[in-house]
Amino acid sequence: VFDNVYRDVNIALANELALICEKFGVDIMQVRELGNTGPRTRLLIPGAGVGGSCLNKDPVMLAFLARQRGVRASLLEAARERNLSMPQHVIDLAKSAYSEMKKEIKGSKVAVLGLAFKDETDDLRNSVAQPIVAGLQALGARVVVHDPYVRPEVAQDTFKGAQVAKKLSEALKGADCVVIVTDHSHYRG
């Protein structure tokens, strides 16, 4: 439980620093790289949120148990709140990109890459790709999804209304916007 709480808090820190850097027009990846040159700093890579079966529940469970004994676990609660907000932030970034392109998101093709909750796996439990795809669809986007680890029939069952691309090139062809949700090595570079 403590291991998952530690990861959730550190992911939230990375995400919060990314949001701050975004507002200052600073590249979080460069800041992270510089920060990680320090002997005691190991900033994680920020992302679209936290999925899986344990990282979402363990901090909530521990905060609940702490509250029952008179301790408010405000850091754990704030980390959960930050990580839960990230899928909507990704959707907002896509909306902002469309605004900058002076293009309507409604009817346009958005490629969502990486459906699993973590890299190099096919595990869709509580994947943040789910609310991101649903949010983009709610805006009227034609969403095409791709994940090299998730079987197409499983993706089709999970991501209703989205087109499932078997090849990365198929997902990208004609896309106005690309959202990389899962950090699969397949997408790096």
Side-chain angles (χ1 to χ4, degrees), residues 49-67:
V50 175
S53 61
C54 297
L55 264 131
N56 287 311
K57 70 172 178 52
D58 286 354
V60 174
M61 178 186 69
L62 185 57
F64 174 78
L65 294 171
R67 224 177 3 265

Side-chain angles (χ1 to χ4, degrees), residues 5 21 38 49 58 175:
V5 167
C21 285
D58 286 354

Side-chain angles (χ1 to χ4, degrees), residues 52-53 115-118 120-127 149-150:
S53 61
L115 307 176
F117 85 86
K118 69 176 182 176
E120 317 309 322
T121 182
D122 67 351
D123 195 338
L124 296 174
R125 290 176 295 170
N126 297 314
S127 166
Y149 296 95
V150 177

Side-chain angles (χ1 to χ4, degrees), residues 58-114:
D58 286 354
V60 174
M61 178 186 69
L62 185 57
F64 174 78
L65 294 171
R67 224 177 3 265
Q68 285 186 323
R69 287 168 178 76
V71 177
R72 180 160 179 255
S74 56
L75 178 62
L76 277 56
E77 293 168 358
R80 267 296 64 226
E81 185 179 320
R82 172 54 63 220
N83 288 333
L84 286 170
S85 75
M86 294 310 290
Q88 183 59 52
H89 182 68
V90 171
I91 294 165
D92 292 343
L93 286 173
K95 287 171 28 180
S96 178
Y98 274 92
S99 180
E100 286 179 30
M101 291 187 287
K102 295 179 179 19
K103 194 167 192 160
E104 289 290 321
I105 194 169
K106 186 175 184 175
S108 70
K109 179 180 176 179
V110 178
V112 175
L113 309 181

Side-chain angles (χ1 to χ4, degrees), residues 136-158:
L136 293 168
Q137 288 173 324
L139 294 171
R142 290 182 302 110
V143 179
V144 178
V145 297
H146 176 269
D147 191 301
Y149 296 95
V150 177
R151 291 190 334 264
E153 60 273 12
V154 172
Q156 196 66 66
D157 285 345
T158 305

